[in-house]
Amino acid sequence: MDFGDPAVAALLPLPLTLAVSLIDLRRRIIPDGLNLALLILGVGFSALHGPALAAAGASLIQAACAFLLLWALRAAYARLRGRTGLGLGDVKFIGAATAWTGLAGLPLLLLVASTSALAVLALAALAGKRVGLAFRLPFGPFLALGLHAVLGSGASV
């Protein structure tokens, strides 16, 4: 199995991202255990692409940077708006996903996730649902889609 093949890379985290998506859709939560498993496997995947210890360390550092960046964004939004806009499970997922993609893949991951979520919101509005401040949309499935898009495009580490 060629782990450098983008198609293979995109399929590796699929069991975890399917579980994340289903649980987030049903319960609006992303379990820490799934995020941790995604992180560990992502670090292992990254270790296959260079000197194992250095690649694993770089992967962990990038995952931590992504987590801290999105956590700060979440905190700033909550402070400015008085409510949370991004769940903590989503922030943890983004950190874990960055272990797979590296920081270079993070913009594409967020672009795909945000664009697909906005498309679903537009479709909901067209279907007559009231899409306002009270409308809540689980973001985990869209983040999973973004992760697979980055891995499948070969834009990851």
Side-chain angles (χ1 to χ4, degrees), residues 71-83:
W71 180 84
L73 180 65
R74 177 185 190 267
Y77 181 87
R79 186 177 184 119
L80 290 172
R81 300 295 302 241
R83 60 187 161 88

Side-chain angles (χ1 to χ4, degrees), residues 32-136:
D32 287 344
L34 289 175
N35 277 332
L36 182 60
L38 189 68
L39 174 68
I40 290 168
L41 290 174
V43 169
F45 175 74
S46 296
L48 297 173
H49 295 88
L53 191 56
S59 177
L60 274 174
I61 290 169
Q62 291 180 64
C65 288
F67 171 81
L68 290 172
L69 176 68
L70 272 292
W71 180 84
L73 180 65
R74 177 185 190 267
Y77 181 87
R79 186 177 184 119
L80 290 172
R81 300 295 302 241
R83 60 187 161 88
T84 343
L86 188 63
L88 190 54
D90 297 324
V91 173
K92 293 174 187 176
F93 183 94
I94 292 166
T98 303
W100 288 83
T101 67
L103 285 172
L106 185 59
L108 180 58
L109 187 153
L110 293 175
L111 176 66
V112 169
S114 300
T115 304
S116 57
L118 286 172
V120 167
L121 285 175
L123 290 173
L126 288 172
K129 294 201 185 226
R130 184 177 166 102
V131 179
L133 293 177
F135 191 86
R136 295 190 56 185

